[in-house]
Amino acid sequence: MAIDLTVNGTPQRVEADPDTPLLYVLRDDLGLNGAKFGCGLGQCGACTVMVDGRAVLSCVTPVLLMQGRAVTTVEGLGTAEAPGPMQRAFIEEQAAQCGYCIPGMMMRAQALLQERPDADDAAIRRALEFNLCRCGTHMRILRAIRRAADTMRHAETAAPNGRAG
Amino acid sequence: MSDHSPLPLTRRGLLAAGGALVVTVSLARPLPAQTGDGGGARPPKPAPGSLAQTPRLDAWVRIGADGAITVFTGKAELGQGIRTALLQVAAEELRVPPAAITLVTADTARTPNEGYTAGSQSMQNSGTAIRAAAAQARALLAQEAARRLGAPADALGFADKRVTAPDGRTLGYGELAASLDLTVEVPADAPLTAPDRLSVMGQPLPRVDIPAKMTGGAAYVQDLRPEGMLHARVVRPPSPAARLTALDGAAVEAMPGVVAVLRDGDFLAVVADKEYRAVKAMRALASAARWEEPATLPGDTPIPDLLRSLEREVGTVDAKGDAGPIADGPRSLRARFTRPYQLHGSIGPSCAVAVMGEDGLTVWSHTQGVYPDRKAIAEMLRLPLDRVRVIHTEGSGCYGHNGADDAAADAALIASKLPGRPVRVQWMREQEHAGEPYGPAMMIEAAASLDGNGRIDRWTFDVWSNTHTTRPGGAGALLAARHLAEPFPAEAAAMQITPAGNGDRNAIPLYAIPNTRILWHFLPDMPLRVSALRSLGAYANVFALESMMDDLALLAGADPVEFRLRHLEDPRARRVVELAAERFGWTGAAPAPGFGHGFAFARYKNHAAYLALAVELSVDRGSGRVRMTRATAAIDSGEIVNPDGIRNQTEGGIIQAMSWTLFERAVYDDTRVTSVDWASYPILRFASVPDRIDVHIVERPGDPFLGTGEAAQGPTAAAIGNAIRSATGLRLRDLPFTPDRVREPTASG
Amino acid sequence: MGRRKTRRNSIGRGLIGGAAVILALGAGAVAWAWESAIPPQPRPAAESFPAELVAEGARLAAVGNCIACHTVPGGRSFAGGLALPTPFGTIHSTNITPDEDTGIGRWSEAAFTRAMRRGVDRDGRHLYPAFPYDHYTRVSDADNRALYAYLMTRTPVRAEAPANHLPFPLNIRMAVAGWKLLYFREGAFTPDPAKPEVWNRGAYLAEGLGHCGACHSPRNALGAVDKDRAWAGGEAEGWTAYPIDQDSPAPVPWTADSLTFYLRHGWHPAHGVSRGPMAEVTGNLVGLPDADVAAIGAYVADRMGPPSAERLRRGEDLRALVSRRTADAGAPPGAGPTAADSQARPPAADSGRTGGDERGEAIYRTACATCHESGRPLPFGGLPFALSTAVNAANPQNIVNVTLFGLPPGDGTVSAVMPAFGGALTDADMVALLRYLRGRFSDQPPWDGLERLVADTRSGAHHVAVRPADGIERAPQNVGAAD
């Protein structure tokens, strides 16, 4: 069946079996590498994307539910040439070893900070409980998210039309 | 290696002295039991790193007529940052920015054969070779420039891929290289840059692979999508010894998008046009298959009983003086330690892409060894070696011999039946959990006694372990090959006692003890498939050894740090112990109630990196929960190429080992593995992450690279155990330290 | 539960009326209510308590679930400080470690026993009934002695509990005396000689320390257990505590055996996985001897009474259906948890009943059935919804909670995990799915007010405590719920 959705700001129409997890649609039909297959069970968070601003595990989300929804993947946060604040923070903190889990981490953190720009360390850890890292990059991931939170707060206060942080 | 610790002349010592030939042979033609980290054996005058096997300069460094610089390594990026570190080394010696170099990693068609990327040896082997080759290339460029410009070679400047004479005349690398013969051998004394003149090495160069990984670039084998690619899934036998008794795949073949249902013996696979259709077809095929399942797993047999029952051979790892038997008494200790089967558990399950083209089979794999994997795949498919090419493409984090080679074999086998179509095989989570080779269960029985001066005078250490190396090698190492109608049986495991160690890795204490006896009780049979997991036997051996050291310190009435120093002669070992203690603030004072401090030290493989670790943790005996609050490590891994890389690897090593130590154990009944996902095999999540980890690096300019990736595992387990004892008085000797083992006993009787 | 008002609706009126009553009664009861301070004593040395007494205390503390309320998520056990939202305001649990300044280090055994028996602290102040002394009053002196020994041998933690936030007059401790006068009856447990010993043991544990009724009973406007309807179902931390009397909504009737298994393991193949606050209860019971768990199971089963022949027959049919499906999935019965996903059976075609909601059916088939029909056995596999109490209960709160927030993974702990679907499902999709589940997997009437319930639960207007399913740990707080 045909599903109309918005991915990283671009309207897309995809033809897929309705039970197909969003993950496969993003990766195989739309060629987006950011969301990763990790468990297919919603246990590890490697496939985390944002749907209408909330963190969603794309490996257990049938594309059927995505009609009319707005999906953001890590590609929607910026590019290698012009990384967004979250990506820049991860690059600056060198917060990756193999890096496989990192896009999921970034999307989980992005969803958290969009909803709660003032999220403290405890809130960040709590949100990240759903995301596994096996290389042990956790210290850097936490640092990167704190850095991104700072950047995003400053950007908001600096921007003329920005909401109050 | 200028800093060999004095090894006693034992079996091991003899092997080390005469081992050069063995190593040369093994790297040229990898043997199943060789991890590629047999490099501990070194000839008296070593050829630099992997130049011993691949001496030609142009195997490592090429400079095109257009000035394009390409550097080749047989090692693979596993997430450890090796790509960046090797670029730094090459850039330093070639006097160019790292970005000016194209680095080609492990590819059987293009790069040297450097065996496996394993054993924390990439810097020693490949880093050393590339550095020498690049330095020699620069020297040749300088020589040629000096000749053509008529200026003395030592007066030339290097910038912007050009060589410049004092008078300002310049020649590009490309035009110089065009008249040079780089097919020469790299001499053992290539003119390396002096330690005080390094400008790229020693710097925390940002990892070159990170930006793409952060932004959705194609960074992993999972991201390959060649034109016309099909998606395949395998259906594995539900238990290790299961045999297929009946299969009706007709309904599966009729499912939407299904291109093929393949069966060869007990090997089953489906191929479909779209990925989720392959998943659904796989599920349908799995439920259409009937299996006979002999009970071959240990069930609830306790680890000590299991390992004893499997013992077939005893080898002497080391013996000196008169160690044994140590009588029980007020100045002696005796204890048994166990470690369960544990998983690599990469976050991304194994994956591979293969295509059978007219000129042969190409496989993209996150294998640790493209050459050995090619050999095994060629054998399985009965193809000549030159008809198979294996290209390393990064996968999710690699911590040893995981499912990568097996997935590569799956893809190769399926692609061989569908010529012309690229096939991508992605393992499912439970296939990875149940199908990867585990880190072997181990048991250690240790005993020691103190002399009248509070020094250890006798030490015995008995290790029960399988081999930790069942890599390809032969096709029998591949799951798919074992399942074929004409199967390749797994090769029999043999005990090999080498300087680098295997199950016995780090079983020999680095401490000065006059009388020691170290035995490996070898278990050839493997009810659960096992192989190399980061640090091999060192994890359990250092855990046992360093737990004993703490208890012996207690017995001697000594501070654990001071007690270690009492027995350490190697100044580099003493330095990391002192540094970690100092930076941690180790005072010997009692920690706050409910908190504990623990210390541990090891020199990995007894000839690689030195690492000392102090941790602070809290123990809640009501819930049994242990939470590490901070860790301070000091590491000496020789000359520093990228300090941030060393920090990243060490932090990661500590956290991963912390997860093994506190939480992890494979679970099985007598037929099947039952820990098949993160619910049934849980690992550390963010709530358990320490508040801080500090890594202090000892600078050793000009010293050989010692490797980093596996220095922290053993010390972490021991430091945690020692800190729990410090907090509670409870000595835990069975891994993992799950809440049920930490919680105060409540059951009556 | 549609027949009676939910507690939230009655809170506002209850507060105003109740406050007045309490003020009047409280003032009038001062003389009756006066309790003297018990002098402080130096903390007894840990070694002064026999090890077996301490161990017995540990088992009893597990039954009492003391650690759950007296521990902040991720914090030190028994150090208190957990905010307990009550309909009347926020109360913080106290530090019951033997710290001399901030805990109970200076309490004598007599002071401890008085607190348990009468709800009075060492200084003689009345304790808020969030501390369930209306149940603990039944605990024997001998058991209080063991509990005291256990708590006094914990690691002392210096931790001051934050101030409570209660409106006047509830912030006047003496007002609690009025509440006690109305609702509290002191008295140790008296065994029923006509019942077997195991029943009496179960009754003692369940009605006393176990305080099952604290959550599983309706409460009146003043927060007191409605004694006439004890165990008729209640609420805890945003979750429905099901009736555990003859009105149990479990599709397969509970038995002494199944209750025992459930309490012992935290799950049962015919009932599912414990979650919400019940996960902490079952997590704690790990330390309890089998015999005590079995006694609780026997007593609760007896309180539920024998199921009707009709319920019994339906239950048998359901169990047969489910075990047939498991067998179809290729897993030999009793083989234990095996494959998570790929080796599992694909979802079967729908049997026909759709609940009249095609959208809901489509969601179920694509998002739920892959786990809930996979044939993977519990606790790791999804419960077939036909067995689900949540789908068959009068109040849909728990199925809403689990669907929105999932079963969060425990940290390094073996536990059932279910992903949260709150982000993927819109409110409309949630409602469609729930209608479908109700229609297809129960023969109960449709739920009313789903739209509102889903919206309020998602927004946090109805606050739900969502924690990992590893019971005792409680960390981190409220994972996944919108806060």
Side-chain angles (χ1 to χ4, degrees):
Chain A
M1 70 185 280
I3 307 273
D4 292 297
L5 72 169
T6 304
V7 179
N8 298 329
T10 307
Q12 299 278 3
R13 164 166 291 202
V14 294
E15 194 62 45
D17 300 341
D19 56 352
T20 309
L22 173 62
L23 173 70
Y24 298 119
V25 172
L26 294 172
R27 292 187 58 85
D28 300 336
D29 296 303
L30 301 176
L32 297 168
N33 297 315
K36 300 291 192 290
F37 175 77
C39 65
L41 302 159
Q43 297 175 353
C44 76
C47 67
T48 308
V49 299
M50 291 199 307
V51 176
D52 296 332
R54 285 180 167 266
V56 160
L57 299 166
S58 65
C59 76
V60 290
T61 301
V63 69
L64 167 83
L65 299 176
M66 293 297 107
Q67 175 65 40
R69 312 285 297 271
V71 178
T72 310
T73 68
V74 79
E75 287 90 344
L77 301 185
T79 62
E81 296 69 35
M86 183 66 69
Q87 293 164 321
R88 210 163 52 238
F90 271 76
I91 293 168
E92 283 164 357
E93 292 290 347
Q94 291 286 290
Q97 290 186 54
C98 82
Y100 196 85
C101 70
I102 299 294
M105 297 276 180
M106 288 195 282
M107 298 317 291
R108 175 76 60 184
Q110 183 79 18
L112 172 72
L113 294 181
Q114 283 185 10
E115 192 170 310
R116 296 179 51 185
D118 58 344
D120 61 7
D121 198 51
I124 293 169
R125 284 184 185 238
R126 209 180 299 150
L128 293 180
E129 274 294 284
F130 297 93
N131 292 59
L132 291 174
C133 164
R134 187 55 163 167
C135 296
T137 317
H138 303 71
M139 309 305 296
R140 288 160 184 256
I141 292 168
L142 289 172
R143 279 206 298 276
I145 295 170
R146 282 195 289 266
R147 179 190 280 255
D150 285 347
T151 314
M152 287 156 81
R153 272 198 300 271
H154 285 129
E156 275 195 7
T157 19
N161 299 323
R163 288 184 292 129
Chain B
M1 301 285 298
S2 59
D3 60 330
H4 265 306
S5 58
L7 280 171
L9 196 63
T10 60
R11 249 183 86 185
R12 165 172 285 196
L14 286 168
L15 248 170
L21 183 65
V22 175
V23 171
T24 313
V25 170
S26 75
L27 282 177
R29 185 174 53 80
L31 299 168
Q34 289 282 351
T35 63
D37 60 8
R42 286 176 181 79
K45 275 194 158 184
S50 294
L51 289 174
Q53 296 78 44
T54 309
R56 257 173 58 167
L57 197 158
D58 66 334
W60 304 97
V61 176
R62 285 180 212 168
I63 301 173
D66 59 352
I69 302 172
T70 311
V71 172
F72 300 85
T73 173
K75 300 291 183 178
E77 176 66 52
L78 308 176
Q80 82 281 47
I82 200 66
R83 178 179 277 277
T84 306
L86 293 177
L87 276 174
Q88 280 179 273
V89 166
E92 180 74 61
E93 297 297 354
L94 288 167
R95 305 280 190 269
V96 298
I101 298 172
T102 303
L103 181 71
V104 176
T105 61
D107 177 344
T108 58
R110 302 181 72 188
T111 68
N113 179 358
E114 293 193 82
Y116 286 102
T117 306
S120 303
Q121 296 208 109
S122 296
M123 289 312 294
Q124 290 105 304
N125 298 349
S126 206
T128 305
I130 287 173
R131 188 174 180 192
Q136 183 64 18
R138 181 199 3 106
L140 294 173
L141 291 170
Q143 220 171 49
E144 176 68 6
R147 187 183 67 77
R148 282 162 62 173
L149 297 172
D154 55 6
L156 298 172
F158 298 83
D160 210 13
K161 290 203 279 187
R162 301 188 73 78
V163 187
T164 307
D167 62 9
R169 287 177 302 140
T170 78
L171 288 166
Y173 279 15
E175 40 190 324
L176 289 168
S179 53
L180 279 175
D181 178 13
L182 294 181
T183 65
V184 296
E185 290 203 1
V186 180
D189 56 352
L192 304 186
T193 304
D196 58 350
R197 304 195 52 190
L198 296 176
S199 62
V200 186
M201 282 171 59
Q203 300 304 311
L205 182 72
R207 288 247 310 265
V208 294
D209 54 327
I210 284 186
K213 290 174 173 177
M214 302 298 105
T215 52
Y220 305 94
V221 66
Q222 283 88 347
D223 302 334
L224 295 179
R225 289 181 205 92
E227 188 63 31
M229 185 176 81
L230 297 170
H231 290 275
R233 288 293 184 280
V234 290
V235 173
R236 290 269 179 244
S239 54
R243 302 301 308 269
L244 189 61
T245 54
L247 177 76
D248 180 4
V252 181
E253 280 171 28
M255 288 175 71
V258 171
V259 174
V261 173
L262 302 173
R263 177 182 177 183
D264 187 337
D266 293 331
F267 179 86
L268 296 178
V270 295
V271 186
D273 59 347
K274 289 198 156 199
E275 189 160 13
Y276 195 57
R277 288 176 165 176
V279 173
K280 286 188 282 186
M282 168 194 67
R283 289 178 181 150
L285 190 65
S287 57
R290 291 292 173 268
W291 303 86
E292 176 191 295
E293 296 187 65
T296 60
L297 296 190
D300 53 8
T301 308
I303 295 279
D305 299 352
L306 171 69
L307 300 189
R308 276 185 216 287
S309 75
L310 294 171
E311 175 181 337
R312 294 291 177 275
E313 190 183 353
V314 183
T316 301
V317 179
D318 189 40
K320 62 172 188 256
D322 175 18
I326 296 168
D328 290 335
R331 303 196 63 78
S332 66
L333 282 181
R334 180 180 309 283
R336 186 185 76 196
F337 302 84
T338 64
R339 175 251 180 128
Y341 294 96
Q342 292 177 319
L343 273 68
H344 299 81
S346 298
I347 297 302
S350 295
C351 180
V353 176
V355 61
M356 181 61 103
E358 284 177 8
D359 51 351
L361 177 74
T362 304
V363 185
W364 290 265
S365 165
H366 51 108
T367 176
Q368 282 177 280
V370 286
Y371 282 93
D373 207 26
R374 174 179 71 160
K375 178 174 174 292
I377 289 170
E379 185 185 338
M380 173 181 76
L381 297 176
R382 299 183 163 82
L383 287 171
L385 266 188
D386 61 8
R387 297 275 293 168
V388 180
R389 176 181 181 188
V390 180
I391 303 170
H392 179 267
T393 312
E394 215 179 321
S396 177
C398 172
Y399 323 105
H401 179 193
N402 57 18
D405 297 317
D406 300 309
D410 294 339
L413 183 57
I414 297 165
S416 74
K417 305 196 183 214
L418 296 163
R421 298 297 302 267
V423 174
R424 175 179 182 272
V425 175
Q426 168 70 66
W427 281 17
M428 305 303 285
R429 170 46 53 199
E430 69 282 6
Q431 292 174 336
E432 187 81 13
H433 260 68
E436 64 152 89
Y438 301 153
M442 287 175 67
M443 174 171 71
I444 292 115
E445 284 185 352
S449 63
L450 295 174
D451 66 15
N453 301 318
R455 294 181 62 103
I456 306 167
D457 60 358
R458 291 171 176 220
W459 178 275
T460 64
F461 199 83
D462 288 62
V463 180
W464 278 259
S465 178
N466 289 132
T467 177
H468 290 242
T469 314
T470 63
R471 298 174 183 278
L478 303 171
L479 275 185
R482 294 183 191 178
H483 294 149
L484 296 176
E486 290 178 55
F488 293 83
E491 287 178 57
M495 177 166 60
Q496 293 202 329
I497 294 177
T498 63
N502 183 290
D504 59 335
R505 182 169 288 177
N506 277 85
I508 304 175
L510 202 68
Y511 300 105
I513 302 171
N515 305 293
T516 60
R517 193 213 63 209
I518 322 296
L519 301 179
W520 182 357
H521 301 252
F522 184 71
L523 331 172
D525 292 333
M526 294 166 267
L528 286 125
R529 185 176 176 228
V530 297
S531 194
L533 172 60
R534 214 169 172 189
S535 85
L536 310 193
Y539 170 65
N541 291 329
V542 172
F543 161 59
L545 200 163
E546 287 291 297
S547 299
M548 286 292 286
M549 285 302 286
D550 238 46
D551 283 349
L552 287 165
L554 204 63
L555 192 65
D559 175 82
V561 172
E562 188 276 318
F563 187 73
R564 285 176 172 83
L565 288 171
R566 204 181 274 185
H567 293 86
L568 278 177
E569 291 165 354
D570 182 340
R572 294 176 74 170
R574 297 180 63 89
R575 177 75 187 116
V576 294
V577 168
E578 286 162 352
L579 183 62
E582 178 207 319
R583 295 299 169 89
F584 177 80
W586 187 277
T587 60
F595 283 80
H597 293 167
F599 199 91
F601 158 81
R603 182 179 192 196
Y604 184 50
K605 297 191 249 186
N606 284 349
H607 63 236
Y610 301 82
L611 186 135
L613 178 68
V615 306
E616 175 189 79
L617 49 74
S618 67
V619 183
D620 189 312
R621 297 217 52 198
S623 62
R625 183 168 170 75
V626 175
R627 183 164 187 280
M628 194 198 284
T629 42
R630 69 191 171 100
T632 305
I635 182 167
D636 171 355
S637 53
E639 173 145 48
I640 301 166
V641 175
N642 189 324
D644 194 57
I646 294 175
R647 275 200 192 92
N648 202 351
Q649 280 287 289
T650 305
E651 287 170 15
I654 291 169
I655 292 181
Q656 187 180 75
M658 180 182 159
S659 181
W660 295 351
T661 302
L662 292 178
F663 305 127
E664 298 184 29
R665 134 175 74 189
V667 184
Y668 36 80
D669 55 28
D670 55 12
T671 315
R672 295 180 177 185
V673 170
T674 55
S675 48
V676 292
D677 60 0
W678 302 120
S680 47
Y681 186 91
I683 63 172
L684 169 141
R685 291 179 185 265
F686 270 89
S688 297
V689 172
D691 300 334
R692 60 181 302 175
I693 297 180
D694 299 303
V695 177
H696 303 282
I697 307 172
V698 179
E699 295 195 20
R700 296 285 175 195
D703 277 2
F705 306 135
L706 293 182
T708 297
E710 295 164 292
Q713 283 75 14
T716 299
I720 291 174
N722 292 341
I724 291 175
R725 191 203 50 72
S726 143
T728 65
L730 179 71
R731 168 56 71 191
L732 295 175
R733 298 189 179 88
D734 297 303
L735 295 164
F737 306 152
T738 42
D740 56 306
R741 286 170 167 165
V742 178
R743 196 183 292 131
E744 276 150 317
T746 54
S748 41
Chain C
M1 234 176 266
R3 348 182 208 113
R4 66 170 189 273
K5 276 183 298 194
T6 69
R7 280 176 59 206
R8 277 189 308 107
N9 294 341
S10 60
I11 289 170
R13 264 163 296 140
L15 259 182
I16 299 160
V21 172
I22 285 182
L23 188 60
L25 281 166
V30 165
W32 172 81
W34 185 257
E35 294 272 5
S36 58
I38 293 179
Q41 63 169 44
R43 179 169 72 208
E47 304 76 50
S48 65
F49 297 99
E52 185 42 48
L53 189 66
V54 173
E56 177 63 18
R59 295 190 279 276
L60 293 164
V63 179
N65 203 19
C66 317
I67 198 168
C69 286
H70 286 280
T71 306
V72 165
R76 310 302 304 274
S77 288
F78 304 113
L82 180 73
L84 303 165
T86 74
F88 313 111
T90 299
I91 293 172
H92 291 91
S93 63
T94 52
N95 181 347
I96 55 170
T97 71
D99 182 65
E100 294 195 299
D101 300 323
T102 61
I104 60 168
R106 292 172 188 271
W107 288 38
S108 62
E109 187 188 319
F112 178 79
T113 301
R114 182 175 71 171
M116 294 287 285
R117 184 64 47 78
R118 295 216 294 274
V120 177
D121 74 4
R122 192 190 56 75
D123 292 325
R125 292 180 304 169
H126 292 284
L127 295 167
Y128 292 109
F131 175 52
Y133 48 81
D134 49 339
H135 295 86
Y136 290 173
T137 188
R138 300 186 178 93
V139 177
S140 71
D141 286 348
D143 283 355
N144 279 326
R145 180 168 308 130
L147 283 164
Y148 178 74
Y150 173 70
L151 289 173
M152 293 309 274
T153 50
R154 296 312 85 205
T155 305
V157 179
R158 197 182 164 80
E160 203 85 57
N164 295 328
H165 300 289
L166 291 171
F168 180 84
L170 298 169
N171 55 350
I172 309 293
R173 288 273 182 173
M174 197 49 79
V176 178
W179 185 93
K180 285 184 173 176
L181 195 60
L182 283 173
Y183 301 117
F184 175 63
R185 294 298 169 266
E186 179 185 340
F189 175 78
T190 41
D192 180 346
K195 298 285 191 182
E197 197 178 326
V198 60
W199 185 96
N200 275 306
R201 177 70 181 162
Y204 170 71
L205 292 171
E207 302 283 6
L209 263 181
H211 66 288
C212 311
C215 294
H216 285 278
S217 306
R219 289 177 181 264
N220 66 19
L222 289 178
V225 166
D226 179 349
K227 289 210 169 63
D228 296 335
R229 300 177 57 222
W231 293 26
E235 190 201 23
E237 298 185 273
W239 297 78
T240 297
Y242 297 120
I244 48 173
D245 57 8
Q246 69 283 353
D247 291 332
S248 159
V252 175
W254 286 100
T255 64
D257 284 348
S258 62
L259 281 161
T260 302
F261 185 98
Y262 177 82
L263 293 171
R264 177 88 291 176
H265 301 286
W267 62 276
H268 185 275
H271 296 276
V273 176
S274 69
R275 63 253 185 296
M278 192 63 197
E280 294 169 56
V281 176
T282 55
N284 264 321
L285 294 181
V286 164
L288 201 64
D290 288 343
D292 280 349
V293 177
I296 298 173
Y299 174 71
V300 176
D302 188 65
R303 282 279 310 252
M304 286 181 167
S308 67
E310 163 61 14
R311 260 195 91 202
L312 214 51
R313 190 192 53 72
R314 259 200 79 211
E316 285 310 309
D317 290 351
L318 282 173
R319 293 197 67 148
L321 175 74
V322 170
S323 66
R324 214 166 40 241
R325 287 194 166 182
T326 309
D328 284 350
T338 54
D341 180 8
S342 76
Q343 309 284 358
R345 195 190 57 132
D350 200 319
S351 62
R353 285 202 293 164
T354 66
D357 196 310
E358 284 171 21
R359 176 73 179 169
E361 182 191 357
I363 295 169
Y364 169 77
R365 290 177 49 70
T366 57
C368 312
T370 43
C371 288
H372 286 271
E373 290 191 21
S374 74
R376 188 185 187 197
L378 263 60
F380 303 117
L383 181 74
F385 283 107
L387 298 177
S388 165
T389 302
V391 168
N392 282 272
N395 183 332
Q397 186 68 56
N398 289 4
I399 190 85
V400 170
N401 293 353
V402 171
T403 311
L404 283 177
F405 307 128
L407 299 179
D411 198 43
T413 315
V414 174
S415 63
V417 177
M418 179 184 142
F421 281 88
L425 293 168
T426 61
D427 283 5
D429 279 345
M430 277 287 294
V431 170
L433 173 63
L434 295 172
R435 283 210 183 105
Y436 171 76
L437 294 177
R438 181 75 161 176
R440 161 110 188 261
F441 296 108
S442 87
D443 51 10
Q444 301 293 311
W447 285 310
D448 292 330
L450 279 174
E451 290 82 355
R452 181 69 193 275
L453 187 70
V454 167
D456 283 354
T457 306
R458 190 198 288 279
S459 72
H462 175 88
H463 185 83
V464 178
V466 183
R467 300 195 192 89
D470 43 9
I472 201 164
E473 180 194 319
R474 288 195 75 118
Q477 189 178 31
N478 207 23
V479 160
D483 30 4

